[in-house]
């Protein structure tokens, strides 16, 4: 996971610290809808269940989850590539 | 975010989550204009769900005043509203549910002189009327104006719904070419109605209108869904456009709007469908 994180270019970042489900997904989805196919969204969350729920929902909609990783004591990043 | 306020993101989150809706669909709903003709048994739940869904502009047409006997099924109005114009109490209730939608009040009786103007400003029309005159007038006007019409009727324990999109399938007259002779069908006052039946059908009408706006799923074009509350069953009757339809057939005889005498009621039963059932 960590090596792919280095390889991708992030096109947009969204800070969802303090948000809980389902708004973590709702807001990520809205952000992704404004982006172009193939672009990468970096989502920062501190709500642990979101690290499972957001990727699952993103994949359900046909997007590619590139990686999920903890970036510090409280925060995670989720990298999603918008479906073509 | 995506042109939504924080409040809108939360209010519509369960829509936005849906793959078929999303922020794009929710924006379509906000830009949409839906006309609900009659805010009675059908129009109450229909308009309420449209407001809840965030349909940006909802027109309501009704010339009646709230009566005590309405409240058994017309859930948009309350006991305190008795004596008020239905468009007034209706608009107030829709605003209370969702201050973000605008409600246009048309406190008029639909006639051949005003129907074209009224429907002209809307994308989808919901038929929630209780009489043949308005039902045929609305069907014909929507056909001439090429407006999608979500048609429903209820009587006693029965309800039926169909969606009419001009040029894409049959119209109401394909199935029921003319209103029945006066007095041949019991009126709703005489026949009675289980209040929850228009609740079911009005809710289905809202769902159909939302599908049309979002461009998702299969509208009920050329399909009548019949709900029979006593047996608890839904059935679907499919039918084709009727080449002998007086409105949309090969040799139409109706070239302009006509007004039938006011007669309360709705046509029911599959007998009528056998001619062109497919
Ligand atoms: Zn027809």
């Amino acid at each position: 996971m960590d090596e792919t994180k280095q390889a991708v270019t992030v096109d947009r970042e969204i800070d969802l610290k303090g948000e809980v489900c389902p708004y973590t997904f709702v807001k990520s989805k809205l952000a992704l809808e404004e982006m172009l196919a193939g672009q990468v969204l970096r989502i920062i969350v501190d709500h642990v269940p979101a690290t499972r729920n957001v990727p699952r929902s993103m994949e359900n909609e046909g997007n590619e989850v590139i990686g999920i990783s903890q970036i510090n004591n409280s925060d995670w990043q989720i990298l999603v590539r918008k479906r073509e | 975010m995506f042109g939504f306020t924080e409040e809108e993101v939360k209010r519509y989150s369960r829509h936005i989550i849906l793959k078929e809706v999303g922020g794009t669909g929710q924006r379509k709903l906000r830009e949409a204009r839906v006309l609900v003709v009659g805010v009675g048994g059908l129009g109450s739940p229909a308009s309420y769900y449209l407001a809840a869904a965030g349909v940006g502009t909802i027109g309501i047409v009704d010339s009646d005043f709230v009566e005590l006997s309405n409240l058994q099924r017309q859930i948009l109005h309350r006991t305190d509203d008795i004596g008020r114009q239905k468009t007034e109490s209706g608009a107030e209730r829709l605003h209370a549910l969702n201050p973000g939608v605008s409600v246009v009040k048309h406190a008029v009786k639909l006639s051949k002189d005003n129907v074209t103007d009224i429907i002209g400003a809307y994308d989808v029309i919901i038929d929630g009327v209780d009489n043949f005159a308005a039902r045929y007038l609305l069907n014909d006007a929507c056909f001439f104006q090429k407006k999608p019409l979500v048609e429903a009727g209820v009587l006693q324990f029965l309800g039926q719904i169909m969606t009419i999109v001009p040029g894409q399938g049959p119209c109401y007259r394909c199935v029921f070419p003319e209103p029945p002779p006066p007095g041949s069908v019991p009126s709703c006052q005489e026949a009675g109605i289980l209040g929850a039946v228009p609740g079911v059908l009005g809710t289905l009408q809202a769902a159909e209108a939302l599908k049309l706006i979002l461009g998702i799923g299969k509208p009920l074009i050329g399909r009548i869904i019949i709900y029979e509350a006593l047996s608890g069953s839904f059935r679907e009757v499919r039918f084709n456009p009727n080449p002998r339809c007086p409105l949309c057939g090969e040799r139409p005889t109706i070239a302009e709007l006509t007004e039938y005498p006011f007669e309360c009621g709705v046509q029911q039963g599959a007998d009528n469908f056998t001619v062109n059932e497919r």
Side-chain angles (χ1 to χ4, degrees), chain A residues 8-45:
Chain A
V8 300
T9 312
V10 172
D11 297 286
R12 182 170 175 182
E13 182 169 314
I14 181 168
D15 181 352
L16 297 178
K17 285 188 282 185
E19 293 283 356
V20 296
C21 298
Y23 305 109
T24 45
F25 172 61
V26 170
K27 291 189 170 182
S28 306
K29 176 171 174 175
L30 287 173
L32 204 65
E33 278 190 65
E34 290 176 324
M35 295 168 60
L36 302 170
Q39 288 191 324
V40 174
L41 175 67
R42 182 174 189 248
I43 306 158
I44 308 295
V45 295

Side-chain angles (χ1 to χ4, degrees), chain B residues 39-268:
Chain B
V39 277
L42 292 163
S44 284
S47 59
Y48 212 51
Y49 273 110
L50 296 176
V55 169
T57 305
I58 301 167
I60 54 176
V61 184
D62 212 307
S63 61
D64 287 348
F65 294 80
V66 179
E67 293 174 28
L68 184 56
S69 64
N70 299 154
L71 301 180
Q72 163 258 19
R73 64 198 178 283
Q74 301 184 11
I75 58 166
L76 207 54
H77 315 288
R78 297 180 182 176
T79 305
D80 284 349
D81 296 320
I82 290 167
R84 294 179 74 194
Q85 188 106 43
K86 283 187 183 175
T87 47
E88 292 297 324
S89 57
E92 190 178 294
R93 210 71 69 232
L94 298 176
H95 268 302
L97 171 62
N98 190 347
V101 305
S102 61
V103 181
V104 182
K105 296 175 279 190
H106 303 274
V108 294
K109 198 170 159 66
L110 219 55
S111 75
K112 65 180 164 61
D113 300 320
N114 64 22
V115 65
T116 305
D117 275 352
I118 294 175
I119 67 172
Y122 295 92
D123 308 315
V124 177
I125 318 296
I126 290 186
D127 179 0
V129 305
D130 63 354
N131 65 85
F132 293 118
R135 194 176 299 280
Y136 279 84
L137 187 62
L138 201 54
N139 173 71
D140 295 357
C142 287
F143 174 77
F144 290 130
Q145 293 268 298
K146 303 199 180 346
K147 297 282 181 185
L149 172 67
V150 183
E151 159 64 45
V154 291
L155 195 72
Q156 297 182 331
F157 298 95
L158 277 174
Q160 63 189 27
I161 174 173
M162 64 196 279
T163 294
I164 300 159
V165 180
Q168 289 185 35
C171 78
Y172 189 73
R173 285 186 188 267
C174 288
V175 193
F176 306 107
E178 295 289 330
S184 65
V185 176
S187 74
C188 21
Q189 288 98 325
E190 296 162 6
I193 176 75
L194 187 74
V197 170
V200 171
L201 272 295
T203 303
L204 290 175
Q205 285 180 294
E208 281 296 297
L210 296 174
K211 280 163 56 186
L212 288 173
I213 297 163
L214 293 166
I216 60 172
K218 279 193 305 181
L220 288 170
I221 297 171
R223 299 146 66 201
I224 294 183
I225 298 288
I226 300 165
Y227 171 56
E228 214 280 300
L230 283 181
S231 61
S233 61
F234 283 90
R235 69 195 174 91
E236 178 181 313
V237 179
R238 290 171 172 263
F239 58 99
N240 290 318
N242 183 352
R244 285 175 302 170
C245 175
L247 185 65
C248 75
E250 285 160 7
R251 274 183 292 277
T253 53
I254 298 164
E256 58 183 32
L257 296 173
T258 46
E259 270 177 46
Y260 294 98
F262 183 89
E263 178 97 3
C264 185
V266 60
Q267 278 132 319
Q268 292 282 351

